[in-house]
């Protein structure tokens, strides 16, 4: 317990990630420092063109990709290539659901600005319907730091205040990784969010510990693998345009035969010593030699441009491989006892000749 200003505080466990003990700001703490103001430069003259594989969620004309949370037609108005929140009609969300994504959104605060604090051009973009990247008018306007434009609402304040004046187009580029849970529902990897606001990094692979919320943290839902992109109606006529998304594929895992360190076959010292020496690589006469030495039951390869020798694991009497690289060195010995080698890495090969 610590006493501060007459109040007593007990150290609290973090609500989300096990093992995380770093002190964490309370949600919406008005004492949390505001980020530095950064001028992002002029707004783009036109919507930024999407890449070829993007799914267009809003092209400036149609709300077909959107609906209300209870499945009714989206009630926001579309004009001049933008959609505008009609206060009171409620949030809208994509009909489609997404997990890991890259998301591009352009938005503009109402102009002239009205209201103060959270009551000023407030809206928000919810990834998987759960994680809000805040949309609000933060241009020369103050509110609590984790509720500013670029905030992961209630959790991470933005690293910079890179907003433009109300009425000007602002650009979010968001990379989102969904949280991962094991079969028992335990969180094994938190969600990840990287956000650029008007080209300025405002969230650097931060890890929300659960869905964002107003007041008190919300619990994770381990059953959710995908969810809609939701735009918040916070009773302010914020505008949006040019919304597109790219689904990010899972990284592949290697099959067992392509992973792990190969098991060495036992070779005699005589066989191993037969390959020791300095080798020219053939391609360039000026290139320094590759040197092979013996270290117990395997060989070492010393390259002129690497300070530490590499282990060569024997997988047959004449073939040696690197432990963590798709590379192998195959030796050949001719009738006169001359030793050559062929070093293959990935899709490249280079011949070696012992000097
Ligand atoms: Mg909001």
């Amino acid at each position: 317990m610590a006493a501060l200003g007459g109040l007593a505080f007990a150290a609290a466990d973090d609500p989300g990630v096990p093992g995380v003990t770093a002190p964490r700001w309370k949600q919406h703490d008005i004492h949390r420092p505001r980020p530095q103001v950064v001028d992002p430069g002029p707004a783009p003259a036109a919507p930024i063109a999407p890449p070829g594989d993007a799914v267009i969620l809003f092209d400036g004309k149609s709300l077909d990709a959107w609906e209300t949370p209870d499945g009714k037609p989206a009630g926001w108005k579309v004009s001049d290539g933008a959609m505008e929140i009609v206060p009171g009609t409620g949030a809208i969300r994509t009909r489609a659901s997404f997990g890991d994504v890259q998301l591009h959104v352009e938005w503009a605060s109402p102009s002239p600005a009205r209201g103060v604090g959270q009551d000023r051009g407030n809206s928000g973009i919810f990834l998987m319907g759960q994680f809000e990247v805040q949309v609000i008018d933060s241009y020369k306007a103050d509110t609590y730091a984790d509720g500013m434009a670029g905030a992961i609402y209630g959790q991470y304040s933005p690293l910079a205040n890179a907003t433009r004046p109300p009425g000007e187009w602002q650009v979010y580029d968001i990379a989102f990784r969904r949280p991962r849970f094991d079969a028992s529902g335990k969180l094994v990897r938190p969600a990840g969010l990287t956000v650029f606001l008007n080209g300025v990094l405002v969230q650097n692979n931060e890890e929300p510990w659960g869905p964002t919320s107003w007041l008190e943290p919300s619990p994770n839902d381990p059953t959710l693998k995908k969810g809609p992109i939701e735009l918040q109606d916070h009773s302010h006529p914020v505008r949006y345009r040019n919304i597109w998304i790219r689904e990010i594929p899972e990284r592949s895992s290697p099959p067992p035969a392509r992973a792990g360190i190969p098991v060495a076959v036992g070779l005699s010292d005589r066989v191993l010593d037969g390959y020791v020496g300095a080798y020219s690589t053939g391609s360039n006469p000026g290139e320094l030699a590759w040197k092979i030495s013996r270290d117990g039951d395997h060989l070492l390869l010393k390259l002129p441009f690497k300070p530490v020798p590499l282990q060569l694991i024997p997988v047959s009497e004449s073939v040696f491989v690197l432990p963590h690289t798709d590379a192998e060195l195959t030796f050949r010995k001719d009738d006169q006892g001359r030793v050559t080698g062929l070093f293959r890495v990935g899709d490249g090969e280079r011949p070696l000749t012992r000097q």
Side-chain angles (χ1 to χ4, degrees), residues 118 122-124 126 132 134-135 153 232 234:
Q118 291 291 299
N122 195 335
S123 180
F126 287 73
E132 182 183 10
Q134 174 72 310
V135 169
Y153 183 73
Q232 183 183 47
H234 205 287

Side-chain angles (χ1 to χ4, degrees), residues 65-78:
W66 302 82
E67 62 185 10
T68 66
D70 52 2
K72 299 205 172 68
W76 297 10
K77 105 182 158 196
V78 177

Side-chain angles (χ1 to χ4, degrees), residues 190-204:
L193 263 167
T194 295
V195 180
F196 289 85
L197 170 56
N198 297 327
V200 176
L201 183 70
V202 293
Q203 299 293 343
N204 188 9

